[in-house]
């Protein structure tokens, strides 16, 4: 009975570790995807801010004339 007890616990741990490793991989992929998406939004936001500033400068030049 003792021999089977440690073996069963070892099998359970192995299965649990395998599922946890799979979950970690899924989380890493998900996190990287969200990170890439956030960086794309940040870059797009920076581009829009630069365009807005150039438009504001042009409007100021027009209003000075």
């Amino acid at each position: 009975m003792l021999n089977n007890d440690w073996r069963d616990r070892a099998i359970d741990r192995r299965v649990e570790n395998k599922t946890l490793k799979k979950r970690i991989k899924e989380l890493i992929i998900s996190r990287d995807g969200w990170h890439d998406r956030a960086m794309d939004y940040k870059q797009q936001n920076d581009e829009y801010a630069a365009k807005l500033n150039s438009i504001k400068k042009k409007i100021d030049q027009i209003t000075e004339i």
Side-chain angles (χ1 to χ4, degrees):
M1 179 150 168
L2 280 172
N3 289 338
N4 290 336
D5 188 38
W6 69 265
R7 185 173 290 157
D8 292 338
R9 287 184 302 175
I11 291 171
D12 291 341
R13 278 194 311 270
R14 185 190 66 204
V15 170
E16 183 181 6
N17 287 341
K18 186 176 181 179
T19 57
L20 289 173
K21 286 180 183 180
K22 182 178 178 182
R23 182 67 180 139
I24 288 170
K25 286 180 185 179
E26 292 170 352
L27 289 172
I28 288 171
I29 291 169
S30 174
R31 181 191 62 200
D32 290 345
W34 281 107
H35 180 263
D36 292 342
R37 189 178 296 171
M39 295 306 290
D40 289 342
Y41 284 136
K42 183 181 182 305
Q43 181 181 4
Q44 187 178 25
N45 189 21
D46 292 343
E47 290 173 3
Y48 288 154
K51 287 180 183 179
L52 180 63
N53 285 336
S54 77
I55 291 171
K56 284 182 180 180
K57 285 180 183 178
K58 288 179 183 178
I59 290 173
D60 287 342
Q61 289 175 354
I62 291 171
T63 56
E64 287 177 359
I65 294 177

